[in-house]
């Protein structure tokens, strides 16, 4: 399982990327300046609406170095799921742990934080792929 990472949220409070009680966790690595990341947000909103009541927990994990741009994007996109930002000094370590070099990057884990799927880059058909993985765990 992935370690129980904690990062600062928009209010600078320390938030865990996982939560107890969730059957499936989706970690969404993104940035305000990443146009494919922003295109993916409507798809994620659909997943959030459909599966959160059944046990999905989504955490948006921004790799923005500019906190103001990140907060502006949060206000513009109105994502209803938890948002955190990786401090710049920790970014290289996080990229190494999760083994990613491109965003958007999604990791789906089980309730223990064990990876069950990963997706890199934006695709218009991504929603179907995400739903196959999530739907297999949350009917």
């Amino acid at each position: 399982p992935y370690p129980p990472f904690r990062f600062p949220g928009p209010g600078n409070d320390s938030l865990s990327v996982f939560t107890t009680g969730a059957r499936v966790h989706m970690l969404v690595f993104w940035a305000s300046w990443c146009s494919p990341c922003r295109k993916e947000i409507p798809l994620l909103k659909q997943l959030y609406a459909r599966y959160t009541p059944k046990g999905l927990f989504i955490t948006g994990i921004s790799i923005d170095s500019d906190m103001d741009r990140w907060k502006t994007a949060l206000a513009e996109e109105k994502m209803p799921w938890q948002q955190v930002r990786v401090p710049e000094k920790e970014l290289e370590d996080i990229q190494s742990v999760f083994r990613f070099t491109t965003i958007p990057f999604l990791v789906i884990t089980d309730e223990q934080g064990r990876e069950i799927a990963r997706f890199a880059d934006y695709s218009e058909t991504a929603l179907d792929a995400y739903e196959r993985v999530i739907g297999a765990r949350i009917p």
Side-chain angles (χ1 to χ4, degrees):
Y2 286 111
F5 290 105
R6 299 184 72 82
F7 299 115
N12 216 27
D13 43 339
S14 177
L15 301 172
S16 175
V17 299
F18 298 108
T19 186
T20 56
R23 295 171 64 188
V24 174
H25 293 95
M26 177 182 269
L27 309 180
V28 181
F29 292 86
W30 73 290
S32 63
W33 44 263
C34 170
S35 136
C37 298
R38 305 283 291 262
K39 283 172 121 174
E40 188 168 59
I41 291 170
L43 304 179
L44 299 175
K45 285 181 177 179
Q46 290 178 48
L47 289 173
Y48 180 87
R50 187 171 301 134
Y51 292 103
T52 295
K54 299 176 181 181
L56 174 66
F57 186 75
I58 300 176
T59 300
I61 305 173
S62 172
I63 65 167
D64 274 282
S65 57
D66 184 326
M67 188 178 301
D68 290 335
R69 283 187 69 182
W70 173 55
K71 287 184 177 183
T72 298
L74 293 178
E76 290 170 355
E77 298 293 352
K78 297 176 178 50
M79 295 171 279
W81 52 89
Q82 174 176 268
Q83 296 290 331
V84 298
R85 188 177 69 85
V86 177
E88 202 168 354
K89 67 183 185 299
E90 296 178 42
L91 181 56
E92 194 173 305
D93 291 339
I94 294 305
Q95 286 177 310
S96 176
V97 168
F98 286 97
R99 301 175 322 276
F100 74 96
T101 57
T102 185
I103 54 173
F105 176 71
L106 282 80
V107 174
I108 300 175
T109 74
D110 65 12
E111 60 277 356
Q112 262 85 58
R114 290 183 301 248
E115 184 177 311
I116 53 178
R118 63 179 33 228
F119 300 91
D121 301 319
Y122 169 75
S123 166
E124 291 180 9
T125 61
L127 183 61
D128 293 336
Y130 302 160
E131 285 194 310
R132 276 193 299 277
V133 174
I134 295 167
R137 302 249 173 191
I138 302 175

